[in-house]
């Protein structure tokens, strides 16, 4: 079955950086676009961005454009979210998801202090 394991979250000061990783298994990873979502306390889960199967195209939420970058390594079955210039409003649990599948990982907590 589809398994997604996110890691790399933590506590960081405003303006800092984090790199999230998501390792996938249970499906043909290179054949699927991958997405990152986040859910802040008391808010609905929202899509942060999506990367194409080859990694040469990515769409990002307007509020993170210029600060976040999505990349992938198909050989490692991994997708990454590089987050720079973090803001307190980026505080959330971050999840990765394979486009077309309904499975979620456990997520990784990102907390940005002001």
């Amino acid at each position: 079955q589809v398994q997604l394991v996110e890691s790399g979250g933590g506590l960081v000061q405003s303006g800092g950086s984090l790199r999230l990783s998501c390792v996938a298994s249970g499906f043909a990873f290179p054949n699927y676009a991958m997405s990152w979502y986040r859910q802040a306390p008391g808010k609905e889960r929202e899509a942060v961005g999506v990367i194409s199967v080859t990694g040469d195209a990515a769409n990002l939420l307007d509020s993170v454009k210029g600060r976040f970058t999505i990349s992938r390594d198909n050989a490692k079955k991994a997708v990454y979210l590089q987050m720079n210039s973090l803001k307190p409003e980026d505080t959330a649990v971050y999840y990765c998801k394979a486009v077309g599948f309904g499975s979620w990982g456990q997520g990784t907590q990102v907390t940005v202090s002001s």
Side-chain angles (χ1 to χ4, degrees), residues 12 14 44 46 63 68 71 73:
V12 63
S14 182
E44 293 188 355
E46 66 175 352
S63 61
F68 290 11
S71 61
D73 185 332

Side-chain angles (χ1 to χ4, degrees), residues 80-100:
Y80 308 98
L81 183 65
Q82 177 67 45
M83 307 186 295
N84 300 326
S85 303
L86 283 160
K87 304 176 180 181
E89 51 263 42
D90 295 317
T91 294
V93 179
Y94 284 72
Y95 304 85
C96 68
K97 185 178 180 294
V99 176

Side-chain angles (χ1 to χ4, degrees), residues 35-98:
S35 57
W36 282 97
Y37 284 76
R38 68 184 180 184
Q39 187 166 20
K43 296 187 177 180
E44 293 188 355
R45 194 168 297 186
E46 66 175 352
V48 175
V50 60
I51 187 167
S52 64
V53 296
T54 57
D56 59 355
N59 292 318
L60 291 164
L61 188 66
D62 284 347
S63 61
V64 307
K65 283 180 181 177
R67 300 188 297 121
F68 290 11
T69 304
I70 301 178
S71 61
R72 66 188 293 162
D73 185 332
N74 285 342
K76 295 182 178 179
K77 299 183 181 181
V79 60
Y80 308 98
L81 183 65
Q82 177 67 45
M83 307 186 295
N84 300 326
S85 303
L86 283 160
K87 304 176 180 181
E89 51 263 42
D90 295 317
T91 294
V93 179
Y94 284 72
Y95 304 85
C96 68
K97 185 178 180 294

Side-chain angles (χ1 to χ4, degrees), residues 2-36:
V2 173
Q3 288 192 324
L4 301 162
V5 180
E6 302 94 340
S7 63
L11 173 64
V12 63
Q13 290 188 334
S14 182
S17 297
L18 284 173
R19 186 186 191 224
L20 307 185
S21 300
C22 169
V23 178
S25 62
F27 64 103
F29 180 86
N31 296 345
Y32 290 88
M34 294 294 296
S35 57
W36 282 97

